[in-house]
Amino acid sequence: MTSSTDAPLQVSGVFPSLAQVGDFGPPRSELGVGALMPYNGVLYVQNYNSHKAASGAGVSLRRIDADLRMEVVAETLGVDGTYTNRFVHYPTGYLVIGPHVISPDHTIRTVPELTGHRLCGTTRHLTEPDTHVYVLTMEGEVFSLDLTTLACELAWDLNDELDTEGEWKVHYKDCYSSFGRLVVCSNEYAEPEWRGERARGRLAEFDGESWRILERKPFTAIGGRHEFGGTIFASGWDAASAILEVFTEAEGTWRRYRLPKASHTFDHKWQTEWPRIREVEHERLLLDHHGMFYELSPWAYGNRIWGVRPISTHLWVLGDFCSWRGMFVAGADNASPSHGLNPTTAEPQSGMFFGKTDDLWSFGKPAGWGGPWWDTEVVAGEASDPYLMTGFDNKCVHVQNHGATPMTVHLEIDARGDGTFGRVTTLEVAPGALVTHTFPPGFSAHWARLTSDHDARASAQFFYT
């Protein structure tokens, strides 16, 4: 802990004077950090309330200078809402954050057509990239915004394009464009999805001509380094595990990988706000996914990714994180009265962490569970999705046969990370039985997968401690 007359008080990287605090109300809902953007000498902080302006006042755009002094951006006072988008448009140099367009001299312009929407993503325009961007709303509208004139037009209603159900029944989260495609996602997920009775979540892409649904599962973040590396990453989950979908430019296709869940507290759609895929060190990506941080390379050799490694576990609800002036900065959603649903919290407020990227290694030990099958109809000879194996200490896998006939299951590993798998053991699983395989101490590989000699209904879950 340090304090002086020249520097604000900080406790373990948290500066109380930089906390984002909303009005006491009523209403009293939520105030989280939705977007962090270093921009021309300062750090912009966009906070948010739970559901548009009427859900809670006191949110605004804030600005932090190099001396860690914060000011409310006066031009944005009274523009309350749910905003988590941030994007620097390289051709013009403008920053888009929330419904605001900021020029390099920090002149603020606000787009009135956007203020009433919950804004969750901004990205490059496919046909007019020098002057326009796309802005995605949580309710499914995609706007085309001209940054030179602030003309704003509806480009698509994704509820029509992707067969989603609109406000309160849809929860769009992110958008990203590269390689001639616009990719969007939503994370709708509750018990009907867990039971397999409903599938409201979406990962989808527009290829310049038509929309295509890639997955009917909840996804929260999409990112990459555009042309550098030739990849797009999208993070999601289902009942079985966390998911990382990867597009490779060389193949022009998507491939699914599976990762452990570090906590079930991230399973509901409202409890995955807002994990991100961000570049926090030069040419390196940091993935925050289902309670675990991972390091991620933008490159895919042989159209396979192998440089995925867990860093640590955490319980943070992180709206955004970035690098600024040599520091790793993370903005949280810490405490919400939730209109009285949380009676032990009276004041909507959230803090920020200032440290360095390597501080993340001192957080919780990498651990988790998940697998490729969850009450799945397994097809004989068809390999499961690859499941991450590297970076964890103790490992076992439980295979359960839910059918009426025996099944023979082969466990295979990819030790090189290039998609080449070799068999390490075979498990005989009787009808209704559960068989556990414990890996020897120190055993590891990049990926593991399973195949069955028989059609079956089965579950397979890995546990790492």
Side-chain angles (χ1 to χ4, degrees), residues 173 186-190 193-194 217-221 234-244 257-277 286-294 308 310-319 321 364-371 374 387-388 392 461 464:
K173 300 297 289 186
S186 67
N187 75 331
E188 191 73 25
Y189 190 87
E193 278 77 18
W194 180 81
K217 298 177 184 290
F219 280 78
T220 55
S235 56
W237 80 97
D238 58 15
S241 73
I243 294 171
L244 183 66
Y257 298 84
R258 289 186 175 271
L259 312 175
K261 292 181 178 181
S263 170
H264 279 315
T265 63
F266 293 86
D267 274 358
H268 193 276
K269 66 173 182 177
W270 291 337
Q271 294 175 216
T272 50
E273 298 178 325
W274 299 72
R276 303 288 192 177
I277 303 169
L286 183 66
L287 166 67
D288 176 20
H289 193 14
H290 235 80
M292 190 121 52
F293 283 113
Y294 299 85
V308 182
I311 297 172
S312 58
T313 57
H314 68 88
L315 281 175
W316 270 351
V317 179
L318 290 179
F321 50 85
K365 176 185 175 183
W369 56 86
W374 181 282
Y387 183 81
L388 186 68
F392 304 93
Q461 292 282 287
Y464 300 153

Side-chain angles (χ1 to χ4, degrees), residues 273-354:
E273 298 178 325
W274 299 72
R276 303 288 192 177
I277 303 169
R278 300 294 198 210
E279 181 175 348
V280 295
E281 302 292 341
H282 182 56
E283 300 175 357
R284 287 150 180 80
L285 300 176
L286 183 66
L287 166 67
D288 176 20
H289 193 14
H290 235 80
M292 190 121 52
F293 283 113
Y294 299 85
E295 57 176 290
L296 184 63
S297 170
W299 296 101
Y301 293 118
N303 299 312
R304 298 294 192 277
I305 61 164
W306 57 274
V308 182
R309 185 168 63 150
I311 297 172
S312 58
T313 57
H314 68 88
L315 281 175
W316 270 351
V317 179
L318 290 179
D320 207 355
F321 50 85
C322 67
S323 286
W324 182 58
R325 295 185 175 268
M327 296 180 290
F328 172 78
V329 184
D333 190 349
N334 287 135
S336 169
S338 296
H339 301 284
L341 297 178
N342 181 7
T344 60
T345 297
E347 185 178 49
Q349 43 86 15
S350 294
M352 292 186 288
F353 171 80
F354 292 76

